[in-house]
């Protein structure tokens, strides 16, 4: 099995640029992407179980890895929620699948997104992790548009080993992720 294109890019180009830019003395200080978490909240699953199953199926197709159903930790009367109820689905990608998903997100899904002008550089959490919401999950080619019953949004969290937002931004720009918009 060959290594993913973005992993080669990281090992051969991005790592050296980051080491030069931030003056790291040790190779282990250089930031890297540790994992990517995909999350899809399904609020209407409290009324009907089939919504959560469809969302988990779609997320499994997008990620190439089985999605896990997330459950409510505590009861919340305002949302008509009981503890243990299914409320969403998520997938955590690491190593090869992580790089392949990032490549598909950057080269296929984002260009298909309507009115996309780049990611907001303020979407970092202060510890080097980047979070972005995607309004329609149908931008991924794995999803058959004709079989979709409801458009769903999803959250993509890219976790890095960077200590600051500046380091993480430089890392993600090295992977050619489009930044600069207020989207």
């Amino acid at each position: 099995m060959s290594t993913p294109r973005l992993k080669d890019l990281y090992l051969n180009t991005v790592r050296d640029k980051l080491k030069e830019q931030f003056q790291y003395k040790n190779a282990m200080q250089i930031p890297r992407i540790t994992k990517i978490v995909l999350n899809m909240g399904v609020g209407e699953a409290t009324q009907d179980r089939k919504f959560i199953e469809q969302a988990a199926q779609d997320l499994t197709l997008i990620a190439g890895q089985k999605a896990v159903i997330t459950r409510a930790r505590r009861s919340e009367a305002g949302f008509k929620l009981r503890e243990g109820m299914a409320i969403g689905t998520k997938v955590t990608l690491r190593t090869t699948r992580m790089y392949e998903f990032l490549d598909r997100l950057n080269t296929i899904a984002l260009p298909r997104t309507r009115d996309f002008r780049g990611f907001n550089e303020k979407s970092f959490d202060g510890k080097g992790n980047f979070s972005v919401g995607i309004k329609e999950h149908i931008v991924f080619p794995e999803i058959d548009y004709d079989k979709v019953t409801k458009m769903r949004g999803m959250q993509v969290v890219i976790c890095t080993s960077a200590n600051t937002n500046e380091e993480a931004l430089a890392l993600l720009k090295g992977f050619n992720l489009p930044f600069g918009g207020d989207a």
Side-chain angles (χ1 to χ4, degrees):
M1 193 165 102
S2 65
T3 60
R5 188 175 67 88
L6 288 184
K7 186 172 184 178
D8 284 339
L9 178 71
Y10 174 74
L11 294 173
N12 299 326
T13 314
V14 177
R15 210 166 47 171
D16 298 333
K17 285 182 184 174
L18 289 173
K19 187 172 185 176
E20 183 181 309
Q21 182 180 350
F22 292 102
Q23 303 295 310
Y24 296 118
K25 292 174 178 42
N26 187 336
M28 295 306 285
Q29 289 178 305
I30 302 170
R32 67 189 189 294
I33 298 176
T34 54
K35 65 183 176 180
I36 296 177
V37 180
L38 308 176
N39 180 30
M40 197 180 281
V42 188
E44 59 272 6
T46 56
Q47 274 74 36
D48 196 351
R49 175 95 180 136
K50 72 177 182 190
F51 289 120
I52 195 81
E53 291 167 356
Q54 184 62 45
Q57 212 172 36
D58 288 349
L59 199 58
T60 299
L61 285 172
I62 291 169
Q65 180 174 311
K66 190 168 183 347
V68 175
I69 293 174
T70 55
R71 302 191 176 277
R73 291 186 188 141
R74 60 175 186 246
S75 299
E76 191 67 51
F79 295 117
K80 297 179 183 167
L81 232 136
R82 275 185 240 106
E83 186 178 338
M85 251 184 189
I87 55 169
T89 181
K90 74 172 185 173
V91 174
T92 302
L93 303 172
R94 297 178 197 272
T95 61
T96 304
R97 284 196 177 120
M98 169 186 73
Y99 285 111
E100 287 171 353
F101 172 79
L102 191 62
D103 197 10
R104 279 186 292 128
L105 175 72
N106 200 18
T107 58
I108 299 170
L110 293 179
R112 294 173 74 177
T113 304
R114 258 184 296 160
D115 300 329
F116 181 72
R117 292 184 188 89
F119 293 128
N120 189 348
E121 293 184 7
K122 296 177 183 156
S123 296
F124 289 91
D125 67 350
K127 293 182 173 66
N129 301 314
F130 179 70
S131 179
V132 64
I134 296 175
K135 291 183 177 127
E136 298 174 339
H137 74 293
I138 59 165
V139 296
F140 291 95
E142 295 86 5
I143 302 298
D144 185 8
Y145 184 76
D146 297 329
K147 293 181 182 174
V148 172
T149 55
K150 184 168 193 277
M151 300 283 190
R152 288 195 174 78
M154 61 188 290
Q155 182 182 22
V156 179
V157 181
I158 301 173
C159 300
T160 69
S161 64
N163 294 321
T164 65
N165 290 347
E166 294 78 31
E167 291 174 355
L169 179 64
L171 171 67
L172 295 181
K173 279 186 175 177
F175 285 113
N176 299 320
L177 283 178
F179 283 94
D182 296 324

